[in-house]
Amino acid sequence: MKEEHYDASDIQVLEGLEAVRKRPGMYIGSTSGRGLHHLVWEIVDNAIDEALAGYCDDIEVIINPDNSVTVKDDGRGIPVGIHKKTGLSTVETVYTVLHAGGKFGGGGYKVSGGLHGVGASVVNALSSWVEVKVYQDSKIHQIRFENGGHTVEPLAVVGECSPDRTGTTVTFKPDPEIFTETTEFDYETLKTRIRELAFLNKGLRIILCDDRPNMQQKEEFVYEGGISAYVELLNKNKTPIHEDIIHLEGKEDDIQIEVALQYNSSYTANVYSFANNINTHEGGTHEDGVKQALTRIINNYARNSKMLKDNDENLSGEDVREGLTMIISCKISDPQFEGQTKTKLGNSEVKKIASNVFSEGFERFLMENPQDAKLIVEKCMTASRARLAAKKAREMTRRKGDLDVTNFYGKLADCKSKDASVSEIFLVEGDSAGGSAIKGRDGMTQAILPLRGKILNVEKARLDRALSNEEIRTIITAFGTGIGEDFDLSKLRYDKIIIMTDADVDGSHIRVLLLTLFYRFFKPIVEAGHVYAAQPPLFVIKHGKTIKYVLDEKERDEYLATLSPNTKYDIARMKGLGEMDAEELNETTMDINKRILRQITVDDTMAADEVFSKLMGEEVEPRREFIEQNATYVENLDV
Ligand code: TSJ
């Protein structure tokens, strides 16, 4: 029987698979771990296609102890009859003829043949062995290939099964001669994509099972909510501004569009789009259609409800996407993938359909849920105001002359030197300490910026509010670097930025707020080691003609221990910065030769990032928890 397979077309077939083995990278991208996992997706995609066609609800992916992988579905089973063109069974054709997949059973939405779509034959070519079982008509059909796609057991009935058991089971073992880097599958990699496939195909159950010794685990992924459940997951650690996830779907000309979205209180957009389950990183016509419709519908609603006044500018695409988490999924029978990485949907007919389906559903949602609609539109309008204000503020900080110069120089007592390498700026808590600092400074190199009251918490405010805050604008202008896209470290006007605050609760609060500001707006300045905290001493010890300032109780005790036992000394707790006169302030905190500075390091800021988010962010619970656990670190900060 075997010889029958070796006619002219068989030789061609084997030449095809041989080409794949010679240049695997051309077919699966690479032979690294990525390429290895690609094999699984080639096979899984075929099962997904069967699900998309409506014949399969269960898929199982098993990592076997020998690092082979089994993919099972409960679909119709790959046809076992003779394929007209090849004269071989369809199963064998699919596995041995390059690009045969997708060419049979036409129609329907297909994942396989999509992004890379090289098909099962490529998996066969790159495997040590492949075994395919087809459950059909109460029979179990089996075929086996070895050593890069050679048929070693032709298709044959190997057993019987119950008439309602149908489906395909494929096991393949990647060839270690091809995958020289690794032949080990990574559970997490498989899990991430499998979960995504479950989100994208609502109701489809996919089981992932690791049967390798010491790795044993099994998870089931099935989401009745489909991509809504995906949005829910993406928003899990965020604060949604409306309760329900908006889910829309519709179909026109056999092109199916599904969208799920929810706004959260953050300022970033998270929009992901898919075409036939493939992540279209580069977007495309489905994404364009939905985005345009979103902008149009929100503007319409805002105008009709008079939230947006006649003179107000339209909300921009960016405005309506601020804090938006959205998944767009499109299913289409003939997807055209374009772009650099072939992840951009090109079918021009999709845009209008996506736009129509979205508009209709979203408009209805806004009408039926006026409270949510109001919250969403308000959020977009705030984003719009923020954008306009930030633009203005950026322009102002960019062009020095434009800032309110009188006010600015009224606040900053700059140093005479224009040489940044010797210049310092003290950010001083309060006007009275500021006044003493101005008198007590070295005017050549030391600039003083008195800060009135508390600094705005930039963790809780958007860029526009931060930039409309006078204190912050003054700081930005004084530093000279600009912020955001205009930031330029080489323009920094001071070598040292010294935060000078009292050693009490208010002082540490202001310090944390300033560090928050630096961390968010001037991270490179902190990273380059330009930021310091002045350490005003807590005690002053006088004996004879000596005046000794010490930082804390520990230093005090250590110093006192060095004095001979009968030395007479006076010890006093230092006053706050504001109560020191110029001379005292200079002596204790500013004089280059006597002061103690603590450099704020990169490590500080990294730890601080978490501290900041937890202390300053929106969520109260982690903040309280954090303070309770780190009471000493935050110095009894009352937040
Ligand atoms: F291709 C493959 F071997 F990689 C593979 C295919 C692997 C796995 C795990 C599943 C499948 C597969 C193929 N599952 N279900 C199908 N279905 C068909 O091939 C099929 C069955 C019937 C008809 C029909 O028109 O009657 C059409 C098709 C495409």
Side-chain angles (χ1 to χ4, degrees), residues 3-33:
E3 292 88 303
E4 278 181 26
H5 287 272
Y6 289 87
D7 59 16
S9 70
D10 272 7
I11 290 164
Q12 256 187 338
V13 161
L14 286 173
E15 276 172 359
L17 296 194
E18 197 48 45
V20 177
R21 286 180 70 80
K22 279 211 184 93
R23 291 214 168 119
M26 271 190 44
Y27 297 86
I28 54 164
S30 79
T31 55
S32 64

Side-chain angles (χ1 to χ4, degrees), residues 27 38 60 76 78 111 190 259 336 348-349 409 434 467 528 566 603 608 612:
Y27 297 86
H38 199 113
E60 200 171 336
R76 291 166 293 178
I78 310 179
V111 195
L190 296 178
V259 184
Q336 303 297 316
S348 56
E349 68 277 18
Y409 286 108
L467 290 178
N566 13 353
D603 281 350
F612 292 162

Side-chain angles (χ1 to χ4, degrees), residues 282-330:
E282 297 169 279
T285 48
H286 54 339
E287 194 173 312
D288 292 345
V290 169
K291 280 180 172 175
Q292 279 186 13
L294 177 75
T295 309
R296 183 168 43 81
I297 297 296
I298 290 191
N299 272 297
N300 285 350
Y301 188 92
R303 295 259 175 229
N304 291 338
S305 63
K306 303 273 185 268
M307 292 175 79
L308 211 52
K309 303 285 183 284
D310 288 347
N311 290 335
D312 289 342
E313 237 180 72
N314 258 358
L315 302 165
S316 75
E318 264 178 53
D319 298 336
V320 302
R321 291 195 296 272
E322 191 185 274
L324 172 67
T325 299
M326 175 159 77
I327 307 276
I328 302 160
S329 175
C330 163

Side-chain angles (χ1 to χ4, degrees), residues 57-78:
D57 331 286
D58 271 284
I59 296 175
E60 200 171 336
V61 178
I62 305 156
I63 313 170
N64 300 307
D66 64 351
N67 256 313
S68 66
V69 166
T70 299
V71 182
K72 270 186 209 177
D73 73 30
D74 66 345
R76 291 166 293 178
I78 310 179

Side-chain angles (χ1 to χ4, degrees), residues 42-43 46-47 50 71-73 75-79 94-95 104-105 120 168 170:
E42 284 300 336
I43 301 300
N46 284 282
E50 188 71 357
V71 182
K72 270 186 209 177
D73 73 30
R76 291 166 293 178
I78 310 179
V94 166
Y95 267 92
F104 70 102
T168 307
V170 174

Side-chain angles (χ1 to χ4, degrees), residues 162-191:
S162 118
D164 41 78
R165 167 71 174 108
T166 63
T168 307
T169 300
V170 174
T171 304
F172 68 94
K173 184 168 163 59
D175 190 341
E177 282 179 31
I178 302 283
F179 298 94
T180 46
E181 253 176 66
T182 177
T183 51
E184 268 203 48
F185 288 101
D186 177 53
Y187 186 88
E188 290 303 315
T189 303
L190 296 178
K191 171 181 165 168

Side-chain angles (χ1 to χ4, degrees), residues 154-167:
L155 186 67
V157 173
V158 296
E160 290 184 7
C161 62
S162 118
D164 41 78
R165 167 71 174 108
T166 63

Side-chain angles (χ1 to χ4, degrees), residues 223-234:
Y223 300 102
E224 294 307 332
I227 54 174
S228 282
Y230 205 168
V231 168
E232 189 182 340
L233 176 85
L234 292 169

